[in-house]
Amino acid sequence: MHRLNRPIFAEEHEAFREQVRRFCDKEIAPFHSQWEEAHQVPAAVWRKAGEAGLLCCWLPEEEGGPGGDLRFDIVVAEELARIGATGPGFNLHSCVVAPYIAHYGSPSLKAEVLPRMVSGDCVGAIAMTEPGAGSDLAGIRTRATWADEHWVINGQKTFITNGVNADVVVVAAKTDLDKGAQGVSLFAVPTSSPGFSRGRNLQKIGQHAQDTAELYFDQVRVPATHLLGELNQGFRYMMRELPLERLCISFNCQARAEAVFGWTQTYVKERKAFGKRIADFQNTRFKLAAVWADLQAGRALCDSLIERQLYQSLDSVSASAGKLWHSEMLGRVTDECLQLFGGYGYMHEYPVARAYTDARIERIYAGTSEIMKEVIARSICDESRR
Ligand SMILES: Cc1cc2nc3c(=O)[nH]c(=O)nc-3n(C[C@H](O)[C@H](O)[C@H](O)COP(=O)(O)OP(=O)(O)OC[C@H]3O[C@@H](n4cnc5c(N)ncnc54)[C@H](O)[C@@H]3O)c2cc1C
């Protein structure tokens, strides 16, 4: 595939890419199908990734990080996408969970957790969703009350990525029942805390190597230093951090769509029907041309959003539009490409089949496509929210 020049990356990022690629080919690709059967990535892989410098690359040295920037974490995500590895939840750990702790954590919490997130000894998860509240997060029922100099947390979360492997969970809980969204606070909860337990590792239609769990909190006590930021400001912090989470979906979807296109391009040149290559049918050629056009547009949008994030100017509406577009685009691309594989495209052993089922969730988590449209539409149609 003809690649667009990507000026957002410097030489140091491309050198790092070579290193990450070697790691992925040696430590991830040969084992990923085993992890799919186990529905989990082993803890040792997290530590190997930490040793290789693949976790929390953006975290400043004074916080215990390697002092890189977000682009190094994007390289890690893109290289995992290249081999179709959706199991390791490195991106969520590094770019979604770690920022909450780094931006809002107390000095003692940061010192306790962040260096261990960098080394892979402490895996991070974020728990907002509950059985009764997903899109409508103001409706969460998990509660935190102050008693005996501790926050005491009670409640249940579901669909939590990295939930089985997690050592620390950023938990959204109600701290003022009368204030709706303004009564939500965030806490960093070690999973070693008495009263914390995990439910099932949930069986999904895709992303089989990714652990996704139910979490239970029964009188879980955490010290005041584990409150993130200020009391009742949790919703404000989530709104501040969500553009980056949505950007993560964009760059992951874009990289995975490019990988699927590459596999398809190879396949249609090898496979024959009616004495011709599949690549010789006009339908194939036009489908791939249309996918390629999508990929070019997606790459330009994706890199411009990354650039805006690097300059701290990525707003919620633009990130939501990106999340909407890239997740829908990945859905289209995996569907069109799978079709070109014929029956083999439906076989689990073919990466395109896994990519197809792996892709479906991208339109749902981190805010559904419908919620993304709501966010965008409000800025278009409601004067006060522009
Ligand atoms: C594999 C997986 C991993 C996940 N990882 C995490 C995680 O790590 N942490 C976490 O906290 N959560 C996680 N989630 C949860 C995910 O973010 C939620 O599932 C998602 O936000 C949707 O919430 P819901 O499932 O409750 O659906 P609902 O909110 O019940 O929505 C159902 C349907 O109604 C639509 N809808 C809802 N409100 C509106 C509206 N205002 N206008 C129009 N349509 C609307 C939705 O778009 C959807 O189509 C994960 C989910 C999955 C499946």
Side-chain angles (χ1 to χ4, degrees):
M1 178 188 168
H2 174 71
R3 287 193 174 275
L4 277 184
N5 183 21
R6 299 184 66 191
I8 58 163
F9 291 116
E11 254 176 50
E12 52 183 352
H13 302 108
E14 294 307 344
F16 181 65
R17 187 184 295 282
E18 290 306 313
Q19 191 187 320
V20 178
R21 187 164 290 195
R22 281 196 297 276
F23 180 91
C24 288
D25 289 343
K26 179 163 175 256
E27 304 290 353
I28 308 267
F31 309 106
H32 201 266
S33 55
Q34 275 165 248
W35 304 339
E36 285 179 5
E37 278 166 34
H39 296 288
Q40 184 173 356
V41 171
V45 176
W46 282 88
R47 284 192 285 273
K48 280 186 190 169
E51 263 169 46
L54 269 54
L55 302 176
C56 306
C57 307
W58 66 273
L59 195 68
E61 284 176 26
E62 55 276 21
E63 308 269 26
D69 61 47
L70 178 69
R71 287 169 288 187
F72 291 96
D73 293 288
I74 294 173
V75 165
V76 174
E78 290 179 347
E79 289 306 307
L80 287 169
R82 184 183 59 82
I83 57 166
T86 49
F90 300 162
N91 193 231
L92 179 99
H93 166 93
S94 301
C95 299
V96 180
V97 183
Y100 279 99
I101 294 172
H103 296 158
Y104 311 109
S106 62
S108 66
L109 177 76
K110 291 204 266 188
E112 179 191 322
V113 172
L114 289 176
R116 292 172 52 240
M117 287 185 79
V118 174
S119 67
D121 290 304
C122 175
V123 173
I126 182 157
M128 299 181 184
T129 306
E130 300 184 358
S135 303
D136 182 13
L137 280 178
I140 59 170
R141 297 175 65 175
T142 295
R143 281 206 68 183
T145 46
W146 181 247
D148 297 333
E149 303 299 307
H150 281 79
W151 288 104
V152 182
I153 303 174
N154 282 290
Q156 181 184 347
K157 298 288 179 181
T158 194
F159 302 149
I160 306 307
T161 303
N162 292 347
V164 175
N165 275 323
D167 299 289
V168 67
V169 185
V170 171
V171 178
K174 277 270 169 76
T175 36
D176 190 331
L177 293 183
D178 301 325
K179 287 192 178 160
Q182 273 65 52
V184 173
S185 302
L186 300 178
F187 298 88
V189 179
T191 57
S192 55
S193 309
F196 172 86
S197 61
R198 302 172 217 261
R200 292 172 300 148
N201 188 354
L202 299 165
Q203 300 290 301
K204 308 184 293 294
I205 63 167
Q207 304 209 353
H208 291 295
Q210 170 63 243
D211 52 308
T212 308
E214 297 169 316
L215 307 180
Y216 299 97
F217 303 82
D218 180 11
Q219 297 286 105
V220 174
R221 287 157 60 87
V222 293
T225 49
H226 285 226
L227 169 70
L228 294 173
E230 292 174 25
L231 192 63
N232 293 334
Q233 295 299 313
F235 224 78
R236 196 156 63 86
Y237 302 150
M238 288 191 259
M239 293 306 116
R240 219 186 267 164
E241 299 298 328
L242 269 171
L244 175 55
E245 183 171 352
R246 292 181 178 152
L247 173 63
C248 290
I249 306 284
S250 281
F251 61 69
N252 274 293
C253 289
Q254 176 67 30
R256 278 162 43 201
E258 288 175 3
V260 168
F261 178 86
W263 305 328
T264 311
Q265 194 184 4
T266 305
Y267 185 81
V268 297
K269 288 181 191 169
E270 285 167 0
R271 176 81 177 167
K272 293 210 168 80
F274 300 96
K276 291 177 175 181
R277 303 177 312 163
I278 302 296
D280 293 325
F281 297 113
Q282 189 186 53
N283 175 67
T284 307
R285 305 169 80 82
F286 282 11
K287 290 282 183 200
L288 286 178
V291 166
W292 187 80
D294 255 354
L295 293 180
Q296 298 291 288
R299 174 50 65 210
L301 172 61
C302 182
D303 285 3
S304 86
L305 294 171
I306 292 171
E307 197 167 21
R308 287 169 62 184
Q309 174 68 25
L310 293 173
Y311 292 104
Q312 316 282 322
S313 66
L314 181 60
D315 61 278
S316 164
V317 175
S318 306
S320 301
K323 198 261 170 189
L324 172 67
W325 196 86
H326 283 104
S327 59
E328 301 272 342
M329 182 273 289
L330 179 64
R332 286 195 300 278
V333 168
T334 50
D335 190 50
E336 296 284 22
C337 288
L338 186 151
Q339 187 71 15
L340 295 175
F341 278 74
Y344 294 97
Y346 199 65
M347 296 299 117
H348 188 71
E349 70 214 64
Y350 276 71
V352 72
R354 298 202 292 277
Y356 175 78
T357 50
D358 288 353
R360 189 60 184 84
I361 187 57
E362 305 298 335
R363 287 146 64 186
I364 296 172
Y365 58 19
T368 63
S369 287
E370 293 72 33
I371 295 297
M372 296 305 93
K373 287 176 188 166
E374 261 301 311
V375 172
I376 301 161
R378 270 183 224 148
S379 78
I380 297 168
C381 303
D382 302 345
E383 297 298 330
S384 59
R385 283 169 144 149
R386 200 162 284 162

